[in-house]
Amino acid sequence: MNGFIKQMINQKLNHLTPEQLLQLAKQYDLSITPRQAEQITAILRRHQINIADDRQRKQILQEISAEVDPAIAKKIQALFQQFL
């Protein structure tokens, strides 16, 4: 993936709001509740996201799986793979 595109994705993930996440989820046919969007964005805020860092992505997905829903974590993982 192009470095510029990675930087744009990282920027978006690092500043994502629950409302924006709900819009993105709808766009990518991912069903999440407003509460889950809040939980996921709270997890994302704990990290300085680097989409290219495999270890970090796995850690974030594990946190989403444990704190939100394993099925949602798997769907998010599939979305990450589309952008890599």
Side-chain angles (χ1 to χ4, degrees):
M1 177 189 314
N2 173 324
F4 178 73
I5 293 173
K6 284 181 191 175
Q7 185 178 6
M8 287 178 49
I9 292 171
N10 290 338
Q11 177 79 11
K12 183 67 172 179
L13 288 173
N14 283 310
H15 295 92
L16 193 63
T17 67
E19 294 79 18
Q20 291 170 326
L21 180 56
L22 285 168
Q23 289 174 352
L24 286 169
K26 186 176 181 180
Q27 181 180 345
Y28 288 97
D29 199 31
L30 176 64
S31 179
I32 62 172
T33 67
R35 174 73 178 127
Q36 290 170 325
E38 290 175 14
Q39 291 173 303
I40 293 168
T41 55
I43 291 168
L44 295 176
R45 283 188 206 112
R46 291 184 214 155
H47 304 273
Q48 183 62 31
I49 308 258
N50 177 1
I51 193 75
D53 184 342
D54 289 336
R55 186 179 50 80
Q56 185 187 50
R57 275 196 327 274
K58 287 177 186 176
Q59 179 182 357
I60 290 168
L61 290 168
Q62 285 175 346
E63 290 178 32
I64 292 171
S65 181
E67 297 176 31
V68 182
D69 186 320
I72 290 173
K74 286 183 181 186
K75 290 179 182 180
I76 292 172
Q77 180 180 17
L79 285 174
F80 280 166
Q81 293 305 316
Q82 288 180 8
F83 294 109
L84 295 176

